[in-house]
Amino acid sequence: MREPALTGRDGLLETARDAMAAHRAVLFHGPAGIGRSSLLGTLLRQLPPAAHVLRCAPASEDAALPYVGLIDLLAVVPRGVLDGLPPEPGAALRAALLRGREPSGAHSRLAVRIALLEVLRRLADAGGVLLVVDDLQWLDGPSAEVLAFAMRRLDGADVRMIAAERVPDGEQPERLRCCPPGTAELPVPPLPTSTVTRLLRAATGADLPPPVLRAIQRTAAGNPLYALELARAVLREGAPESPDGPLPVPRRLRTPLLDRFRTLPEPVRRTLLVCSAAARPTLTVLHAAGLAGAAAHLSAAERLGVAGTDGSGAVRFRHPLIRAAVYADATAHARREAHAVLAAAVTEPVEQARHLALAHPHEDEATAATLLAAAASARRRGAPGAAAELAVLAARRTPADRPAEQAERWLAAADYACDAGQRAEADRAARIVLEGSDSPPQRVRARLVLLRNAGQALEGTGSLIEEGLHDAAQDPVLKARLYHWAALRGLLRGELAQAAGHAERAAAAGDSADRAGALTTLARIRSLAGRAAEADAALTAALNLLGGADGGPESRALVRMRAVLALDSDRVAEAHTQITELLRTTEGLAGVEDRLAGLVVLTRVQVRSGDCRRALRTAARCTRLLTESGVESAPALYAAALAATAGGAPQEARRLAERAVRASEADGDRLFLLRALAVLGQAALLSGDTPGAAAAVEALRRVKEIGAAMCAADPPLLQWYGDLAEALVMLGETDAAGSVIQEAHRLAANPPGSVFAALERAEGLREAALGRAKSGAALLRRSADRLRELPLPLELVRTLIALGAVERRGRHRNAARAALTEALETARVCGAAPLEARSAEELARLDAVERGGGPELTATEARIAALVGGGATNREVAAELFISVKTVEGTLSRVYRKFGVRSRTALAHAMAVGPLGASVTPISSKLPSARRELGPRVVDIPG
């Protein structure tokens, strides 16, 4: 396994190898634990072998021993080299190596220096020397002086050197003089947080909870050794009671970190302990805590490099781990005293409550009540994570003889943790209530938290709902909430009829907010079934219950649903206004689920409106939320895939869509499975080639099958039917494409214009593929005209590309150029990189035709012609292209007509003598820069 300290260091090692080639000497420097020694050892193994490798790695206790470094360096030097030195330098060196009397006096010390210089020159002449000195800071003084003398006088000799020196953060190496002139100084930087996460997972084999992982990253500050030791301490001793509390610091880390701290007077150490316990230590806070001499104490600490103050009076420890070590090194009594004085000194309610809890780590009702009040205050201010932490502390401080109050506090902690996206913490708190409470209503509320905490993964939650209905038998409000969850579960499973029934039962009981929520879900179900009027009626009823769209937190799902319905009805500007206003007004107040749901809708709106650059940024915000919560989210992955399909790289879009498909399948979420499969099909379709079309058909046929099983007929589904028909046409499956288009028209009761435009585009391509280019072009022009009246520029670009290709094959080159030029310019304005590249490809094909090319073939025709011309049988062609033999035969007949031949042999001859490739193959070298710019547009997701 790779050494943990080398994780993320490939670039630095490459720089070091280049520096050795150019300068022949490298000095790694950085603080303890940063990985200098590992880098030195790895670089040594990667360098070409040297005839003579002289090594030393002194320890701190060696620094006071004269010439011990020199003894180590020369330990492997052949005795004959030492014996062959001139008499006086030889005697002085033997004395330094403890083979004679220790050199004394300036003359003898000079003789030792000359002796080492002569040894290095002789070894260099005999095949070269590589000096390796680790922990240069511990090299004893006499050895350092001898080495520095020699290094300045080795010009032209074949002597190389790699060294490492421990240097405090922000400082420069002090032993550079011991290295040859021109040595490359390479500071070893902290690791980025993503690399630290990978390192910890690989080294410990454990996935730490996100709050603990963030605390380790914050405390280690990119130092791999510190991060590993902290992680192992947490796994061994457990996480701190408070997620923001100091981590356990192992004694072997504390001892070297605190060697200077422990020399300070007791009052100074007490001041620093209070600083380590404070969330934001300042001189003002310290004075309020009664530490009158704080400024002088911090000056003394600053002189020793432990901690100090900046211009604003804020206290800064030299490294975050020193702060954690100071706290960990104190006794429990001293820590409680520090928190007690801080509780009296700070005025911010959340911080004050946290200090109060840590000052009284025992059951106390007054402390528990104060903590719960602070938790509610934190949630109102948009800090659900802090609220969850305080509510947990409140539950733990609640006396055991108050079980009902304790359960209520655990339920509050679970709710707040859900808001913060802390799923593990929410699950833990809810299950404490579910397993320990004697109150049926409390157990039902715990199940409701667990249902909410499941996110999209409601497949396995049937027992939670059934058992909850049993416990809620006498409470109609709780029963209504459970029926609402049954409706959501049915919706995600694609059981629309059952879901509608549960939603109607939920809407008939409960308070206004619960009924409005159930009606909003009912609207989604009706919309998915293609019953737009009933969906609008349900939303109107929900609005009336809440008194309008400004009905507080309960109205958020309703506003999102209104935006989705507006988007599906081609009212893109209306949808954009609604969702952006919702996100603006709920910033900092909504929980992770609400924010993610809003951002997913915003991504959809931005893609539909052709704002691809903003869609990529919005999808990246979804990714950050996913990373912070530490869970895999099918909606977030879908948003990233959708944005990448519109404005990024098709291959990346397909990768993200495949992840979204897997996540939806794991959750049992057929609703987002439909969307993920659809975007997977669209990304494959954008490739414009036969394999892409085959992959698109595979994904989109699943969409059609799932939609049919759900009895779904909403506008997005009907547009995906159009995508499937297009992919089938690309494969030559024109009969199957016609059936798909006819079925979509049967399902479409009163679809918006975008659905007609998508089906017209597919029908136009099918007509052209059947040899009816004129009627195909007419349908495509009608589709384009319809889309010009709608704010859907990407759909327009797709239609214009199709129209350009059909017109080109019909030899209407001016019309083809006009359509493709409009497509290229529109795609470029939108930032739609894949469509921009497709437009450029088609224009390049047109240019090739105008220069004089062979017959115009579709991509599928060209692929089949090439395979048949190369000697493949019809069955082999069908297997290669994932199409039927019948399709190959029909397509081949059209190819024969276009070439004017009647046999496979004649086709092979015509292809051999004609410039077929120029007319059917994209000419990448002639494309605009859009093709080359696809890489930087990729949206990435960790995990």
Side-chain angles (χ1 to χ4, degrees):
M1 188 176 105
R2 184 181 190 140
E3 189 173 347
L6 295 176
T7 301
R9 299 301 193 193
D10 292 335
L12 187 58
L13 279 167
E14 183 178 356
T15 300
R17 290 193 298 271
D18 292 344
M20 284 297 292
H23 305 287
R24 302 180 62 78
V26 162
L27 172 62
F28 293 111
H29 63 86
I34 203 68
R36 305 175 321 280
S37 298
S38 297
L39 284 163
L40 184 146
T42 302
L43 180 61
L44 175 60
R45 290 190 293 273
Q46 293 178 351
L47 290 176
H52 305 285
V53 179
L54 310 185
R55 304 185 63 167
C56 73
S60 57
E61 54 268 28
D62 298 338
L65 302 175
Y67 293 115
V68 69
L70 191 61
I71 291 170
D72 289 341
L73 280 173
L74 300 183
V76 297
V77 174
R79 192 173 188 90
V81 174
L82 300 179
D83 292 343
L85 292 172
E88 188 171 353
L93 182 60
R94 284 192 295 275
L97 299 179
L98 300 183
R99 300 173 190 175
R101 295 179 56 190
E102 180 182 339
S104 59
H107 189 76
S108 294
R109 289 194 296 272
L110 175 61
V112 174
R113 288 161 169 72
I114 291 171
L116 177 63
L117 179 61
E118 184 62 24
V119 167
L120 292 176
R121 283 174 172 162
R122 292 185 180 193
L123 293 175
D125 291 341
V129 180
L130 177 62
L131 289 166
V132 183
V133 184
D134 195 6
D135 281 322
L136 193 56
Q137 76 280 358
W138 300 130
L139 189 64
D140 62 274
S143 295
E145 294 304 325
V146 170
L147 192 59
F149 177 90
M151 290 300 101
R152 294 194 299 271
R153 292 167 172 80
L154 281 170
D155 289 345
D158 185 11
V159 177
R160 295 175 295 156
M161 183 174 186
I162 53 176
E165 180 179 352
R166 181 190 296 184
V167 175
D169 282 308
E171 297 185 18
Q172 295 300 310
E174 296 181 354
R175 289 289 179 89
L176 184 61
R177 69 184 189 280
C178 296
C179 302
T183 293
E185 300 177 59
L186 297 183
V188 184
L191 294 174
T193 55
S194 58
T195 305
V196 171
T197 300
R198 292 199 306 272
L199 182 153
L200 295 182
R201 186 178 293 119
T204 66
D207 284 318
L208 295 163
V212 173
L213 184 59
R214 288 193 291 272
I216 290 173
Q217 290 169 339
R218 185 172 59 246
T219 305
N223 187 300
L225 174 67
Y226 293 171
L228 280 169
E229 290 291 343
L230 290 170
R232 288 166 179 153
V234 166
L235 293 172
R236 186 172 56 250
E237 302 175 30
E241 184 179 35
S242 162
D244 289 332
L247 294 162
V249 181
R251 187 174 299 279
R252 61 181 173 184
L253 277 186
R254 295 205 305 264
T255 299
L257 283 168
L258 299 181
D259 56 349
R260 296 182 179 182
F261 167 80
R262 289 169 177 159
T263 67
L264 292 166
E266 192 280 332
V268 179
R269 297 201 303 274
R270 181 171 182 267
T271 296
L272 289 173
L273 173 59
V274 173
C275 291
S276 73
R280 290 169 293 279
T282 64
L283 286 173
T284 302
V285 168
L286 296 177
H287 290 150
L291 301 173
H297 296 164
L298 288 167
S299 294
E302 189 167 13
R303 285 192 292 273
L304 288 182
V306 176
T309 57
D310 61 19
S312 68
V315 179
R316 299 277 187 266
F317 284 85
R318 184 168 59 81
H319 191 281
L321 187 59
I322 295 178
R323 177 178 183 170
V326 167
Y327 188 88
D329 206 51
T331 64
H333 176 72
R335 290 198 291 263
R336 288 197 297 272
E337 281 191 337
H339 287 295
V341 299
L342 285 167
V346 300
T347 57
E348 200 279 318
V350 172
E351 186 180 355
Q352 188 179 58
R354 185 181 290 120
H355 288 306
L356 182 66
L358 295 173
H360 300 89
H362 51 263
E363 294 179 359
D364 179 73
E365 177 57 24
T367 300
T370 301
L371 287 165
L372 192 64
S377 172
R379 185 63 194 94
R380 286 193 297 272
R381 296 203 315 274
E389 173 199 342
L390 292 171
V392 167
L393 290 173
R396 288 174 175 165
R397 299 299 183 269
T398 303
D401 60 0
R402 293 174 172 263
E405 289 92 336
Q406 188 177 57
E408 286 297 320
R409 288 157 187 170
W410 280 119
L411 285 170
D415 266 328
Y416 297 149
C418 251
D419 288 342
Q422 298 172 358
R423 290 191 174 183
E425 291 82 354
D427 186 275
R428 191 178 306 116
R431 291 194 183 280
I432 287 173
V433 177
L434 188 59
E435 295 166 7
S437 176
D438 293 330
S439 164
Q442 285 183 336
R443 292 199 301 271
V444 172
R445 287 165 59 200
R447 291 188 180 95
L448 289 170
V449 170
L450 291 171
L451 286 164
R452 181 181 162 209
N453 200 43
Q456 304 293 119
L458 293 177
E459 176 68 25
T461 59
S463 60
L464 282 175
I465 295 171
E466 292 169 9
E467 292 165 6
L469 286 170
H470 179 269
D471 273 347
Q474 306 305 316
D475 191 325
V477 172
L478 291 178
K479 285 180 69 175
R481 291 176 185 172
L482 288 163
Y483 278 125
H484 188 186
W485 278 106
L488 289 169
R489 181 170 178 266
L491 172 62
L492 296 182
R493 297 178 70 187
E495 299 166 348
L496 299 190
Q498 296 94 319
H502 290 314
E504 288 167 348
R505 294 186 72 173
D511 58 23
S512 296
D514 289 333
R515 293 171 63 196
L519 285 167
T520 300
T521 298
L522 182 61
R524 184 70 191 98
I525 296 166
R526 296 305 189 204
S527 170
L528 191 61
R531 295 155 69 175
E534 294 178 35
D536 285 336
L539 271 186
T540 300
L543 279 169
N544 292 337
L545 280 170
L546 294 177
D550 299 326
E554 294 79 10
S555 68
R556 291 170 191 158
L558 188 152
V559 174
R560 284 197 305 272
M561 191 65 244
R562 290 179 71 201
V564 168
L565 292 183
L567 183 65
D568 290 348
S569 300
D570 297 341
R571 303 194 306 274
V572 180
E574 180 184 329
H576 186 271
T577 299
Q578 290 170 345
I579 197 64
T580 52
E581 180 65 14
L582 174 65
L583 289 169
R584 185 188 65 80
T585 56
T586 59
E587 184 68 33
L589 299 175
V592 168
E593 295 166 322
D594 275 341
R595 281 185 288 156
L596 181 59
L599 290 171
V600 170
V601 174
L602 180 58
T603 304
R604 287 185 61 198
V605 170
Q606 289 167 336
V607 167
R608 291 277 279 166
S609 63
D611 197 350
C612 299
R613 298 178 184 90
R614 280 200 177 92
L616 286 168
R617 291 197 290 270
T618 303
R621 289 173 65 189
C622 293
T623 300
R624 285 195 293 273
L625 271 180
L626 181 148
T627 303
E628 290 167 6
S629 63
V631 297
E632 186 91 318
S633 164
L637 289 166
Y638 157 75
L642 181 65
T645 300
Q651 284 301 111
E652 177 67 4
R654 289 174 71 169
R655 185 182 70 82
L656 290 167
E658 286 164 356
R659 286 181 61 194
V661 167
R662 290 193 296 271
S664 299
E665 289 172 334
D667 289 344
D669 178 355
R670 302 183 83 188
L671 195 59
F672 265 97
L673 178 58
L674 275 175
R675 298 196 178 283
L677 286 167
V679 78
L680 177 60
Q682 289 165 350
L685 196 57
L686 277 173
S687 66
D689 56 23
T690 304
V697 166
E698 182 182 355
L700 292 167
R701 271 187 170 144
R702 283 192 69 191
V703 170
K704 180 175 175 294
E705 291 163 3
I706 294 169
M710 293 169 62
C711 299
D714 64 339
L717 182 70
L718 299 177
Q719 287 179 310
W720 300 332
Y721 271 59
D723 292 338
L724 173 58
E726 282 190 43
L728 288 166
V729 169
M730 288 180 65
L731 294 180
E733 303 275 2
T734 51
D735 289 346
S739 298
V740 169
I741 294 168
Q742 289 174 7
E743 185 175 348
H745 279 297
R746 283 198 305 272
L747 289 172
N750 186 25
S754 60
V755 171
F756 280 124
L759 295 176
E760 283 171 340
R761 181 173 62 234
E763 182 63 27
L765 287 168
R766 179 175 179 271
E767 284 289 294
L770 290 170
R772 300 189 284 266
K774 186 175 180 180
S775 63
L779 282 165
L780 289 166
R781 281 193 293 273
R782 189 190 308 166
S783 174
D785 290 341
R786 193 187 299 276
L787 289 166
R788 286 191 184 95
E789 298 175 1
L790 298 171
L792 303 171
L794 300 193
E795 289 299 304
L796 174 61
V797 171
R798 289 182 61 185
T799 298
L800 289 170
I801 292 172
L803 176 59
V806 169
E807 295 283 31
R808 171 177 57 78
R809 288 194 289 270
R811 300 196 180 272
H812 301 136
R813 292 167 186 166
N814 289 339
R817 186 169 296 280
L820 293 172
T821 300
E822 182 183 354
L824 181 65
E825 291 173 352
T826 305
R828 188 171 289 155
V829 168
C830 292
L835 289 174
E836 184 181 344
R838 283 290 310 281
S839 305
E841 272 184 21
E842 289 296 333
L843 279 168
R845 289 180 178 182
L846 182 60
D847 290 341
V849 169
E850 290 179 343
R851 288 194 301 272
E856 286 293 305
L857 303 181
T858 67
T860 300
E861 289 170 346
R863 189 87 173 94
I864 290 174
L867 290 169
V868 169
T873 67
N874 288 1
R875 189 172 299 280
E876 288 169 340
V877 172
E880 173 73 17
L881 301 185
F882 302 100
I883 56 179
S884 67
V885 174
K886 182 180 178 182
T887 298
V888 174
E889 293 169 349
T891 304
L892 195 55
S893 297
R894 292 196 298 274
V895 171
Y896 284 170
R897 286 196 300 272
K898 290 183 178 183
F899 272 93
V901 299
R902 295 184 178 181
S903 69
R904 304 166 78 88
T905 303
L907 175 62
H909 176 72
M911 292 177 64
V913 300
L916 174 63
S919 66
V920 298
T921 304
I923 305 173
S924 301
S925 61
K926 301 185 185 314
L927 298 187
S929 60
R931 172 67 75 183
R932 296 189 295 273
E933 290 174 357
L934 292 183
R937 298 175 185 262
V938 171
V939 178
D940 191 23
I941 293 250

